[in-house]
Short mmCIF file of all heavy atoms in Angstrom, two decimals:
data_model
loop_
_atom_site.label_atom_id
_atom_site.label_comp_id
_atom_site.label_asym_id
_atom_site.label_seq_id
_atom_site.Cartn_x
_atom_site.Cartn_y
_atom_site.Cartn_z
N PRO A 113 -21.59 -93.57 -2.75
CA PRO A 113 -20.17 -93.81 -3.01
C PRO A 113 -19.35 -94.08 -1.75
O PRO A 113 -18.51 -94.99 -1.76
CB PRO A 113 -19.72 -92.51 -3.70
CG PRO A 113 -20.96 -91.99 -4.34
CD PRO A 113 -22.11 -92.38 -3.46
N GLU A 114 -19.58 -93.36 -0.65
CA GLU A 114 -18.72 -93.58 0.54
C GLU A 114 -18.96 -94.97 1.14
O GLU A 114 -18.04 -95.61 1.66
CB GLU A 114 -18.91 -92.48 1.59
CG GLU A 114 -20.32 -92.32 2.17
CD GLU A 114 -21.19 -91.32 1.41
OE1 GLU A 114 -21.16 -91.32 0.16
OE2 GLU A 114 -21.92 -90.55 2.08
N THR A 115 -20.18 -95.45 1.05
CA THR A 115 -20.49 -96.79 1.55
C THR A 115 -19.91 -97.86 0.61
O THR A 115 -19.35 -98.86 1.06
CB THR A 115 -22.02 -96.97 1.67
OG1 THR A 115 -22.50 -96.00 2.59
CG2 THR A 115 -22.39 -98.36 2.15
N VAL A 116 -20.05 -97.62 -0.69
CA VAL A 116 -19.55 -98.59 -1.67
C VAL A 116 -18.03 -98.71 -1.57
O VAL A 116 -17.48 -99.81 -1.71
CB VAL A 116 -20.00 -98.18 -3.10
CG1 VAL A 116 -19.20 -98.89 -4.17
CG2 VAL A 116 -21.49 -98.48 -3.25
N GLU A 117 -17.38 -97.59 -1.27
CA GLU A 117 -15.91 -97.63 -1.14
C GLU A 117 -15.53 -98.62 -0.04
O GLU A 117 -14.65 -99.46 -0.20
CB GLU A 117 -15.42 -96.21 -0.84
CG GLU A 117 -13.93 -96.00 -1.04
CD GLU A 117 -13.12 -96.37 0.19
OE1 GLU A 117 -13.61 -96.13 1.33
OE2 GLU A 117 -12.02 -96.92 0.02
N LEU A 118 -16.26 -98.57 1.08
CA LEU A 118 -15.98 -99.48 2.20
C LEU A 118 -16.41 -100.91 1.85
O LEU A 118 -15.67 -101.87 2.06
CB LEU A 118 -16.72 -98.99 3.45
CG LEU A 118 -16.61 -99.86 4.69
CD1 LEU A 118 -15.17 -99.87 5.22
CD2 LEU A 118 -17.55 -99.37 5.81
N ARG A 119 -17.61 -101.04 1.31
CA ARG A 119 -18.15 -102.38 1.01
C ARG A 119 -17.24 -103.14 0.05
O ARG A 119 -16.94 -104.30 0.26
CB ARG A 119 -19.57 -102.25 0.44
CG ARG A 119 -20.19 -103.62 0.15
CD ARG A 119 -21.61 -103.56 -0.36
NE ARG A 119 -22.01 -104.87 -0.78
CZ ARG A 119 -22.68 -105.76 -0.05
NH1 ARG A 119 -23.07 -105.44 1.16
NH2 ARG A 119 -22.97 -106.95 -0.53
N THR A 120 -16.80 -102.46 -1.02
CA THR A 120 -16.05 -103.20 -2.03
C THR A 120 -14.62 -103.49 -1.56
O THR A 120 -13.96 -104.37 -2.10
CB THR A 120 -16.03 -102.46 -3.39
OG1 THR A 120 -15.65 -101.11 -3.16
CG2 THR A 120 -17.39 -102.49 -4.06
N ARG A 121 -14.13 -102.74 -0.57
CA ARG A 121 -12.82 -103.08 0.01
C ARG A 121 -12.94 -104.39 0.79
O ARG A 121 -12.07 -105.23 0.78
CB ARG A 121 -12.37 -101.98 0.97
CG ARG A 121 -11.12 -101.28 0.43
CD ARG A 121 -10.48 -100.32 1.36
NE ARG A 121 -11.34 -99.30 1.89
CZ ARG A 121 -11.17 -98.73 3.09
NH1 ARG A 121 -10.19 -99.12 3.87
NH2 ARG A 121 -11.99 -97.78 3.49
N LEU A 122 -14.09 -104.55 1.49
CA LEU A 122 -14.27 -105.72 2.35
C LEU A 122 -14.89 -106.89 1.58
O LEU A 122 -14.62 -108.06 1.88
CB LEU A 122 -15.18 -105.36 3.53
CG LEU A 122 -14.60 -104.31 4.49
CD1 LEU A 122 -15.72 -103.61 5.23
CD2 LEU A 122 -13.65 -104.98 5.47
N LEU A 123 -15.76 -106.56 0.64
CA LEU A 123 -16.51 -107.58 -0.10
C LEU A 123 -16.37 -107.26 -1.59
O LEU A 123 -17.29 -106.72 -2.21
CB LEU A 123 -17.99 -107.56 0.29
CG LEU A 123 -18.33 -107.71 1.78
CD1 LEU A 123 -19.81 -107.40 2.05
CD2 LEU A 123 -18.01 -109.13 2.25
N PRO A 124 -15.19 -107.55 -2.17
CA PRO A 124 -14.99 -107.18 -3.58
C PRO A 124 -16.02 -107.84 -4.50
O PRO A 124 -16.50 -108.94 -4.20
CB PRO A 124 -13.58 -107.71 -3.89
CG PRO A 124 -12.95 -108.03 -2.57
CD PRO A 124 -14.05 -108.25 -1.58
N ASP A 125 -16.32 -107.18 -5.58
CA ASP A 125 -17.28 -107.71 -6.55
C ASP A 125 -16.81 -109.06 -7.08
O ASP A 125 -15.61 -109.35 -7.10
CB ASP A 125 -17.43 -106.75 -7.74
CG ASP A 125 -18.42 -105.64 -7.41
OD1 ASP A 125 -18.88 -105.58 -6.27
OD2 ASP A 125 -18.71 -104.83 -8.31
N ASP A 126 -17.76 -109.86 -7.53
CA ASP A 126 -17.45 -111.15 -8.12
C ASP A 126 -18.31 -111.29 -9.38
O ASP A 126 -19.29 -112.02 -9.40
CB ASP A 126 -17.77 -112.25 -7.08
CG ASP A 126 -17.31 -113.62 -7.56
OD1 ASP A 126 -16.58 -113.69 -8.56
OD2 ASP A 126 -17.70 -114.61 -6.92
N PRO A 127 -17.93 -110.52 -10.45
CA PRO A 127 -18.78 -110.52 -11.64
C PRO A 127 -18.69 -111.87 -12.37
O PRO A 127 -17.69 -112.57 -12.20
CB PRO A 127 -18.17 -109.39 -12.49
CG PRO A 127 -16.79 -109.17 -11.97
CD PRO A 127 -16.76 -109.67 -10.56
N PRO A 128 -19.65 -112.26 -13.13
CA PRO A 128 -20.82 -111.45 -13.48
C PRO A 128 -21.97 -111.57 -12.48
O PRO A 128 -22.94 -110.85 -12.58
CB PRO A 128 -21.26 -112.04 -14.83
CG PRO A 128 -20.87 -113.48 -14.72
CD PRO A 128 -19.62 -113.54 -13.87
N ARG A 129 -21.83 -112.46 -11.46
CA ARG A 129 -23.02 -112.68 -10.62
C ARG A 129 -23.24 -111.59 -9.57
O ARG A 129 -24.35 -111.28 -9.19
CB ARG A 129 -22.95 -114.06 -9.96
CG ARG A 129 -23.33 -115.17 -10.93
CD ARG A 129 -23.98 -116.35 -10.26
NE ARG A 129 -23.25 -116.92 -9.18
CZ ARG A 129 -23.72 -117.08 -7.94
NH1 ARG A 129 -24.93 -116.70 -7.64
NH2 ARG A 129 -22.98 -117.65 -7.02
N ARG A 130 -22.14 -111.05 -9.02
CA ARG A 130 -22.31 -110.09 -7.90
C ARG A 130 -21.57 -108.80 -8.22
O ARG A 130 -20.36 -108.80 -8.37
CB ARG A 130 -21.80 -110.73 -6.60
CG ARG A 130 -22.14 -109.95 -5.35
CD ARG A 130 -21.92 -110.78 -4.10
NE ARG A 130 -20.61 -111.38 -4.05
CZ ARG A 130 -19.50 -110.72 -3.74
NH1 ARG A 130 -19.54 -109.42 -3.46
NH2 ARG A 130 -18.34 -111.34 -3.73
N ARG A 131 -22.37 -107.72 -8.35
CA ARG A 131 -21.78 -106.43 -8.74
C ARG A 131 -22.29 -105.33 -7.82
O ARG A 131 -23.36 -105.46 -7.21
CB ARG A 131 -22.17 -106.08 -10.18
CG ARG A 131 -21.57 -107.01 -11.23
CD ARG A 131 -21.91 -106.57 -12.64
NE ARG A 131 -23.35 -106.51 -12.86
CZ ARG A 131 -24.04 -105.42 -13.18
NH1 ARG A 131 -23.43 -104.26 -13.32
NH2 ARG A 131 -25.34 -105.47 -13.37
N THR A 132 -21.52 -104.23 -7.77
CA THR A 132 -21.88 -103.11 -6.90
C THR A 132 -21.88 -101.83 -7.72
O THR A 132 -20.96 -101.63 -8.53
CB THR A 132 -20.84 -102.99 -5.77
OG1 THR A 132 -20.73 -104.25 -5.13
CG2 THR A 132 -21.26 -101.96 -4.74
N LEU A 133 -22.86 -101.01 -7.49
CA LEU A 133 -22.95 -99.74 -8.20
C LEU A 133 -22.95 -98.60 -7.19
O LEU A 133 -23.75 -98.60 -6.25
CB LEU A 133 -24.26 -99.72 -9.01
CG LEU A 133 -24.59 -98.41 -9.73
CD1 LEU A 133 -23.64 -98.19 -10.90
CD2 LEU A 133 -26.02 -98.44 -10.23
#
Side-chain angles (χ1 to χ4, degrees):
E114 61 268 42
T115 299
V116 163
E117 196 274 324
L118 177 66
R119 181 177 172 95
T120 50
R121 246 188 306 151
L122 296 156
L123 304 169
D125 277 5
D126 187 11
R129 281 211 306 124
R130 190 166 52 76
R131 294 184 301 118
T132 307
L133 175 71

